[in-house]
Amino acid sequence: MTTADEIAGSLGLEAQPSFARRRLNALGRFVVTQPLGTIGAIIIIVMILGSVFAGQLNTVDPKTSIREAGPLDAPNGDNYFGTDRSRRDVWSRVLYGGRPTLLIGFGAVAITMGAAIVLALAAGFLGGIVDVIISRLIEIIIAVPAILWLLMFTTAIDRSVQTLMFSVAFTFTPIAIRLFRGNVIQERSIAYVEAARVIGASGGRIMFRHILPNLAPLVIVAASITIPAAMLAEAGLTFLGLGLEPGTPSWAQDLGPSNRPYFRLAWWLVIFPGAALALAVLAFNFFGDSVRDVLDPRLRGSGLI
Amino acid sequence: MQAYIIRRLLLVPFTLVLISIIVFIFMRAVPGDAADVRCGAAGNFDQQCFDVVREELGLNENKFNQYFKWLGDIVLRGDFGYSLSQRAHINEEIGKRIWNTAQIGLLSIAFTLLIGIPVGMVSAVRSGKPSDYILRFLAVMGLSVPSFWIATLVVIFPAVWWGVRVAPDWVGWEEPLTHLQILAIPAFIIALAGGGTIARIVRSSMLEVLRSDQVRTARAKGLRESAVVSRHVFRPSMIALFTIIGLQFSLVLGGSVIMESIFNIPGMGLWVISAVGERDFMIIQAVVVVFATWFLLITLLVDIAYAWVDPRIRY
């Protein structure tokens, strides 16, 4: 018995590396060619692990005050990042505070991409009245600054993580639709779509089985660059005191009105949560840029993302 | 071209009416209204006060009548009505506040371009050199570090270290220098994010033009590099900016809402934030309609300018 590899070898062809091997090679190439993107990815992973396993990382309940500590204690061996006015541990608040922001960043972008793909396929592929209606809706949403949409949502519904996730997605979806729609229209006129139609494929099949896979790189790039923007949108609203419920540990919350009077006395209150938020956004942006360079360099500086 | 402008202008009121409907529905879905806030503030809810206030504010009327009265007043008389909690005339308030927000907006668009275009150009011309890497890194920093954090740091630390007040109390044009300082600092902080975005776009579109045939021809005929850049590269690479400048205006308005609250500037943003607390949806409705009108007209102007700068564009 001869295996496929031996036959290939005897014909002078190189053996195909296995699937896992190819993935590993691609990862290695990414690390070598995109050092900043790799650093970004590492920071992202550390931050996700830090907020997921916050309970195991020498933290206390971020919402209750510590008996032994005083108010506004400077960073020390017990409270690495000091304490706030209510004697709560800032280290714990920073670790737990990553949860809502990261969750909203990922969740909002997942909703955005799902909705934008379906609507962009409908607008670009079906055209006609569907396209007109979707384009008008996009115009309406974009005409009002995102922060006003967000505060209308949180005032009318509630200030939960889910509502914020949905409303952030609502403001980003039109931008993503615009980006995808152009590509759907380009793809529609390429011969493979016509070929699929000739063999009798239905509209839905052409949209989801033929055009959608060709949008994949664009969607991945758009997603990785929208995550930091979504995190900033939520942070801005929470900072104003109109986002997440007061008291929820969150980076932007701790930078907001409730702590503001104490920043002059306690630099650690403003430095640590702010640096965590800035670092997270920065890491996502570096990672997103690298993903774009690898997957679709034409998108560099396209403006929308 | 003329037909296009007319068609776009006709679409503006259509879009605005749809926005007004959505905002109205949103605001009527808010649990609790200004009457609750006014009559329940002291902890003990006063039913008599509640009934009187609701009647006085016209909140007992049918929702359709409320909407059409509101829209009719705006369309026919340009009258946004009275705010619910302060009983102030909204038009007067807007008249006082809109100019402050507009100044921040225009200043920060100016700063955005002043930061973004030179940084992007230098980065493109020196592409691959250390200065390019440093500028690109700074551009990503600018669009990543949250503007409200920068603003908070700028307000706090100079005061703590050197006793310098970066954000003086609000004064109008009576004291022009202080007034400008109050407006310019937040405008500049907003512009850091936009400047980073613009720098990246300018850099990549300039690199594209630098690789084009017409630039090779210009170099081949012996033109100095500075002349090549200023005459053959600058204009075509600026065209990419027009596609995103409309979105920048929207971001600047959003940024202004945050900055007004940090620097205590009596503009539209600070007003809308306090209106949320008081459940004063007349103010929120008015601010949304004003901002949307503003945005739609500016994007229309930008699109017309786009066609004028780039003769290939025909609508």
Side-chain angles (χ1 to χ4, degrees), chain B residues 35-54:
Chain B
D36 286 304
V37 176
R38 263 213 246 168
C39 304
N44 46 345
F45 182 74
D46 184 348
Q47 184 65 39
Q48 203 185 349
C49 153
F50 182 75
D51 293 338
V52 171
V53 170
R54 276 187 71 92

Side-chain angles (χ1 to χ4, degrees), chain A residues 41 45 88 119 137 197 210 262:
Chain A
I45 293 170
R88 293 176 302 194
L119 292 171
L137 285 176
R197 195 171 292 152
H210 295 270
Y262 305 95

Side-chain angles (χ1 to χ4, degrees), chain A residues 36 136-137 139-149 151-153 155-157 170 175 178 225 232 235-237 239-240 242 252 255 260 263-265 267 270-278 281-283 285-286 289 292-293 298 300-305, chain B residues 11 14-15 18-19 22-23 26-27 29-31 136-137 140-141 143-149 152-153 155-157 159-160 197 200-201 203-204 207-208 211 243-244 247 250 253-255 257-258 261-262 272-273 276-277 279 284 287-288 291-293 295-296:
Chain A
L36 278 178
R136 283 290 93 75
L137 285 176
E139 242 164 61
I140 290 171
I141 299 175
I142 287 185
V144 177
I147 198 152
L148 291 183
W149 280 121
L151 65 84
M152 283 197 278
F153 271 104
T155 319
I157 307 172
F170 177 84
I175 304 173
R178 275 201 176 164
I225 294 176
L232 281 182
L237 193 71
F239 171 80
L240 290 176
L242 304 173
L255 295 169
R260 200 174 299 156
F263 290 157
R264 280 165 213 283
L265 306 168
W267 56 268
V270 63
I271 291 297
F272 291 119
L277 178 59
V281 177
L282 200 61
N285 273 330
F286 278 135
D289 276 2
R292 182 202 54 206
D293 284 355
R298 283 169 309 155
R300 190 176 294 153
S302 59
L304 285 166
I305 51 172
Chain B
L11 264 174
F14 175 74
T15 312
L18 286 177
I19 288 176
I22 297 175
V23 173
F26 250 113
M27 289 299 110
V30 172
R136 275 161 72 194
F137 187 84
V140 183
M141 288 281 279
L143 64 93
S144 299
V145 180
S147 59
F148 58 80
W149 190 47
T152 310
L153 297 179
V155 170
I156 304 260
F157 284 106
V160 172
T197 314
R200 282 148 59 102
I201 290 161
R203 176 178 184 274
S204 62
L207 282 178
E208 210 165 283
R211 286 191 213 105
T243 54
I244 65 132
L247 216 56
S250 173
L253 289 182
V257 174
I258 294 181
S261 96
I262 299 176
V272 82
I273 293 169
V276 170
R279 296 274 173 266
I284 304 179
V287 172
V288 168
F291 273 6
T293 313
F295 177 81
L296 289 171

